[in-house]
Structure formats: C-alpha cells, structure tokens
Amino acid sequence: SQQGEEDPQALSIQEGENATMNCSYKTSINNLQWYRQNSGRGLVHLILIRSNEREKHSGRLRVTLDTSKKSSSLLITASRAADTASYFCATGSSPGTASKLTFGTGTRLQVTL
Amino acid sequence: KAGVTQTPRYLIKTRGQQVTLSCSPISGHRSVSWYQQTPGQGLQFLFEYFSETQRNKGNFPGRFSGRQFSNSRSEMNVSTLELGDSALYLCASSAGTLASTDTQYFGPGTRLTVL
C-alpha cells in the first residue's frame, strides 16, 4: 500500500500560471523526491530534498518540506504545456531502506494554452 | 552517460506463463530496484538488488523474483502469471550508497499485459 497522499488528485491550469501540489506521508523519512511521469512512461527525477532541509529550488521548481507536519509541496512556476504530466512524491525512510521508495498517489497536471 | 534501459518495452503473455524482464542500470550504479505500477495500487516497491544480493524486499508473493549479475544488470521474473500482474514494471538504478542524497533514476518501463 502507498504511504503518501497527494493533493489535489488533478489540477488544470493555463500556461503561465503557477501549479502547487502537496504530498503527505506517514513515517519518518531520510529524504523526499519528486518525479514526473508522462502518460504511462518512465519516471523522470525532478528534485530531492533531504529530511534536514526545508526548501530547495531547481529552475522553475520549488520544493518545501515540513517534517513536523509530514508534508511537502512542489511549486512549478510559469507553467508550460510541456509540464502536462503526473507528478509523484516518493519517500525513502531509514538509511537502511532508503532505496525502498514509497510513492504517493500522484497529481495529474494539465496545462492548457 | 546512457540512462537506464529496460527490455522488452512491451510484452503480452497468457495466464499461467512466466516472464523475465531485464534492466541495465546507469554505468557505475550498483543498485537496481524494481517497482510495479497499476491503476489500482499505484507505484509499489518490489525489491532492490545491490552487489548481486537482494537488499530490500516489498510485499509481493514469491512468484516475483529477481537477480542481479556481476555487471549490475538485473532481471525480474514472474512465474504463473495472473491477470492482476498486468502492469507497468519500472526499474530504477542508483549508486546504492543509501545516503540521503542517493537519487534513483528510472527506466522507461516494461508494459506487461496478461491475457
């Protein structure tokens, strides 16, 4: 079973707008990673944030992590049609099982022109 | 540097058959993990191999097995296929250090359909 829930399940915005996705998880983590998946294809790694970090940026992406609330958010600024995809958060727990990623349910993002 | 490759990309089998999927990790990576993705259960961890040894295992029946070779390439086998095994099977590779910065990179997946 999946550990995390993502919110919203689906999001539709216009090009140029910002998109925010939230992820909640249940147990303590080593790190949290965000992935993008286009239409049933492989997962593309977007960004990793360690449990002792609170915020991280990569290009148009901004990730925050609140370990006290067991939640994370992914912000995509100035969205483009090419950002249309499903977005998943994934957590690695204790160092011994850090490679055992537990995925959230995903957010389907639709960016229209 | 070449990415993670998986073969075959698509596979159709019938119930009761067995299937073997292959994964070649990024050069230099020693860890290979396998995941199953279905519409109902989402993405679920199957197992991880590191230096030819299974290091972590998910909650799947014994029909699902894997192995890793000395060159880090990995295979996954599913025996006695069931309809519910229809899924996208994803392989991920990483350095395997278990450090908090160790990132997993995924292949394109193998789409298995069981009829």
Side-chain angles (χ1 to χ4, degrees):
Chain A
S1 61
Q2 292 176 313
Q3 172 180 218
E5 294 291 328
E6 289 183 61
D7 168 52
Q9 289 189 350
L11 181 60
S12 184
I13 59 174
Q14 292 192 315
E15 205 171 48
E17 295 181 334
N18 295 342
T20 300
M21 292 159 249
N22 302 295
C23 165
S24 62
Y25 56 92
K26 297 176 183 174
T27 62
S28 61
I29 63 172
N30 195 32
N31 62 39
L32 186 144
Q33 303 179 55
W34 284 89
Y35 289 87
R36 183 185 74 226
Q37 185 177 41
N38 291 84
S39 196
R41 297 183 181 177
L43 297 165
V44 175
H45 183 263
L46 296 176
I47 196 165
L48 177 153
I49 186 166
R50 292 178 291 176
S51 60
N52 61 355
E53 296 177 312
R54 292 297 166 259
E55 188 171 312
K56 204 161 183 181
H57 297 256
S58 177
R60 295 185 295 115
L61 306 179
R62 173 178 170 257
V63 169
T64 62
L65 178 65
D66 187 336
T67 52
S68 66
K69 295 181 179 178
K70 291 186 168 58
S71 67
S72 174
S73 68
L74 171 67
L75 168 67
I76 304 174
T77 60
S79 62
R80 306 165 181 167
D83 295 328
T84 295
S86 291
Y87 291 81
F88 295 90
C89 67
T91 54
S93 52
S94 63
T97 59
S99 57
K100 181 179 176 180
L101 293 180
T102 301
F103 282 85
T105 50
T107 293
R108 295 182 66 178
L109 174 65
Q110 176 76 43
V111 181
T112 57
L113 297 172
Chain B
K1 196 183 255 191
V4 179
T5 58
Q6 292 187 246
T7 57
R9 294 292 310 278
Y10 301 91
L11 208 47
I12 299 176
K13 293 285 188 179
T14 56
R15 281 181 298 174
Q17 288 187 311
Q18 74 166 15
V19 67
T20 299
L21 313 181
S22 181
C23 172
S24 292
I26 292 170
S27 177
H29 282 186
R30 297 169 64 191
S31 168
V32 173
S33 298
W34 289 88
Y35 294 81
Q36 181 196 65
Q37 185 177 28
T38 60
Q41 297 299 315
L43 281 150
Q44 293 187 287
F45 174 81
L46 281 155
F47 31 64
E48 180 219 1
Y49 285 86
F50 178 78
S51 292
E52 302 179 63
T53 301
Q54 188 180 86
R55 185 162 66 174
N56 280 297
K57 188 178 186 303
N59 297 321
F60 278 81
R63 298 185 298 107
F64 292 83
S65 63
R67 60 177 175 169
Q68 186 179 34
F69 302 94
S70 58
N71 61 359
S72 293
R73 189 177 70 84
S74 176
E75 288 183 346
M76 189 192 103
N77 184 274
V78 188
S79 62
T80 321
L81 284 166
E82 300 176 0
L83 295 178
D85 296 333
S86 294
L88 180 66
Y89 289 89
L90 293 161
C91 157
S93 86
S94 72
T97 63
L98 300 179
S100 59
T101 54
D102 198 11
T103 301
Q104 290 195 35
Y105 297 94
F106 283 78
T110 294
R111 173 74 64 183
L112 172 65
T113 302
V114 181
L115 302 175

